Amino acid sequence: MTVLDNRTLNRATLARQLLLEPSDMPVLDTIAHLGGLQAQAPQEPFVGLWSRLRAFDPTALSDLLTERRAVRMHLMRRTVHLVSAEDALAWRTRFDGMLHQRTLGVHRSVLEGVDLDELAAAGRAVLADGEPRTMAGLVEALADRRPGRDKRALGEILVAALVPVVQVPPRGLWRTRAGVRNVLLSSWLGREAAPPAPDGSDPVGRALVRRYLAAHGPAASADLRAWCGLSGLPAAVSALREELVSFRDERGRELLDLPDAPRPDPGTPAPVRFLPAFDNAVLGYHDRSRIIDDVHRGLSVAGERVVLVDGRVSATWHTGSADTVSVSPLRGLSAAERTAVAEEAERLARLLSWDGSARIRLDRPG
């Protein structure tokens, strides 16, 4: 079986993630191709799309949200994701068990004795009027039935697990600060989420495997689990084996892939890319060594925004109060690399600044 080294896997990931060359793909198609973008920090998906698309207009994403063609909801790994409306409807039920399990894992002790089916029905009844509600507002509407219960636990189990809801605009719009307000997925999109297949065939699981490999492959089953949070996909993988190809990584793990997906030459040049917090190019794997050194792995779960240089995490970046994009290298950069980082930082600064200016600061590695 062919062994793929980390540089080969890196270039494959960059190509699948649209980070090797700018894409002309429409914004909605890009969101669908990536299998969604992690979005608990509402402005981060704008940077994620800007880094991938040749001529990204942030208002295009805002329009998708207000037109209800894209939504923000709890999904992969119980985190808030920006996904297409069609994927939200097709996928949400498949994630029910994982969402329940992970939320109960946090709040099990304080929810002991709560009839979760009855709580879900009560929550649906309150939300049935289509009125956007904060989590606190939803719990307050149910407070007389559950006096003394932990309000945060009740709210989180409702909006993250028991009741399929979306976070409605203005939350998530470009340059807009707004709190979370929840509406039933079915009310917002006019359709109920698709039910599980009656014959137990799990077509959604198979679709998730294909979509994951298209955006992240070649990858191991453990990587797939790390991306979606689902443990119940071995059957879907088995059902697809005849249409997949297999490789090994340098550790000996089996990697699966779509046969015609791009696997560029490892010598392909990789441009500097600025990624938002929790970008799936980094977070979408259990073994992230193809894109980030083990010593820096913690950055990927700490909400640090990172910079790819030659395809690997080589710096972090943040914006200060003065609308300055500040870059902190994690290693020594050559003169050519510093120039490329500075040029891309200036481009990002023009996107993020209100007046279109390009104020940047490029530190020396600590």
Side-chain angles (χ1 to χ4, degrees):
M1 191 177 296
T2 301
V3 175
L4 303 180
D5 63 23
N6 268 354
R7 188 173 176 89
T8 300
L9 293 175
N10 174 271
R11 291 319 194 244
T13 292
L14 296 181
R16 313 292 175 89
Q17 287 287 310
L18 311 180
L19 294 167
L20 203 56
E21 295 181 2
S23 173
D24 294 314
M25 194 179 293
V27 174
L28 186 61
D29 292 348
T30 303
I31 294 169
H33 168 74
L34 296 171
L37 291 89
Q38 195 159 333
Q40 62 263 49
Q43 296 297 298
E44 298 302 298
F46 291 94
V47 176
L49 291 166
W50 167 87
S51 69
R52 292 166 163 90
L53 299 181
R54 193 181 309 277
F56 174 61
D57 179 357
T59 62
L61 174 52
S62 292
D63 290 345
L64 290 176
L65 290 165
T66 57
E67 294 167 3
R68 309 189 186 193
R69 295 197 288 155
V71 297
R72 297 165 41 83
M73 65 189 301
H74 287 88
L75 208 59
M76 279 72 79
R77 306 182 300 278
R78 198 177 70 98
T79 56
V80 177
H81 271 69
L82 169 72
V83 295
S84 72
E86 292 303 316
D87 284 345
L89 291 165
W91 293 356
R92 176 54 174 80
T93 302
R94 184 63 179 83
F95 284 82
D96 277 354
M98 181 273 292
L99 294 172
H100 290 192
Q101 183 181 24
R102 292 200 174 195
T103 310
L104 282 175
V106 177
H107 299 296
R108 188 179 304 277
S109 61
V110 295
L111 292 173
E112 186 175 355
V114 174
D115 185 327
L116 296 181
D117 290 337
E118 191 273 337
L119 178 63
R124 282 179 177 272
V126 170
L127 291 165
D129 60 5
E131 186 70 22
R133 285 179 171 82
T134 64
M135 186 174 76
L138 174 58
V139 173
E140 187 63 31
L142 302 171
D144 60 334
R145 306 186 193 187
R146 290 157 191 83
R149 288 289 180 181
D150 184 295
K151 292 183 178 181
R152 181 173 182 82
L154 288 173
E156 288 194 3
I157 193 70
L158 277 165
V159 304
L162 296 180
V163 182
V165 297
V166 298
Q167 298 181 359
V168 298
R171 181 78 167 177
L173 301 184
W174 177 235
R175 290 180 172 164
T176 300
R177 291 186 178 182
V180 176
R181 298 181 305 150
N182 303 288
V183 172
L184 286 174
L185 173 67
S186 55
S187 296
W188 189 248
L189 297 182
R191 286 182 284 163
E192 293 284 349
D199 59 0
S201 59
D202 195 16
V204 175
R206 295 198 299 272
L208 285 168
V209 173
R210 293 190 186 98
R211 295 280 289 280
Y212 174 75
L213 293 177
H216 293 83
S221 294
D223 297 320
L224 170 63
R225 289 196 299 272
W227 168 71
C228 65
L230 298 174
S231 59
L233 292 179
V237 171
S238 296
L240 294 175
R241 273 197 173 272
E242 290 189 1
E243 65 182 69
L244 303 178
V245 292
S246 298
F247 304 96
R248 296 279 181 194
D249 66 11
E250 293 174 308
R251 294 169 49 192
R253 300 187 312 159
E254 182 187 32
L255 306 178
L256 301 174
D257 205 5
L258 304 174
D260 298 325
R263 289 181 286 276
D265 185 285
T268 304
V272 169
R273 293 286 184 256
F274 280 65
L275 300 184
F278 305 113
D279 194 279
N280 272 346
V282 181
L283 208 62
Y285 300 94
H286 173 70
D287 180 358
R288 299 168 189 160
S289 61
R290 68 179 66 190
I291 199 167
I292 187 169
D293 295 341
D294 285 344
V295 68
H296 300 309
R297 180 184 171 93
L299 298 174
S300 60
V301 294
E304 291 280 0
R305 297 153 159 178
V306 300
V307 184
L308 303 183
V309 182
D310 192 27
R312 299 190 63 78
V313 172
S314 301
T316 61
W317 68 275
H318 68 277
T319 53
S321 57
D323 274 346
T324 299
V325 172
S326 299
V327 181
S328 300
L330 298 169
R331 63 169 175 83
L333 302 177
S334 69
E337 288 173 334
R338 288 182 66 85
T339 297
V341 168
E343 289 175 351
E344 190 70 355
E346 289 176 357
R347 200 169 71 87
L348 177 60
R350 285 192 290 271
L351 172 80
L352 298 179
S353 67
W354 287 87
D355 60 4
S357 61
R359 292 183 287 270
I360 70 167
R361 189 183 76 214
L362 178 54
D363 298 331
R364 295 286 177 182

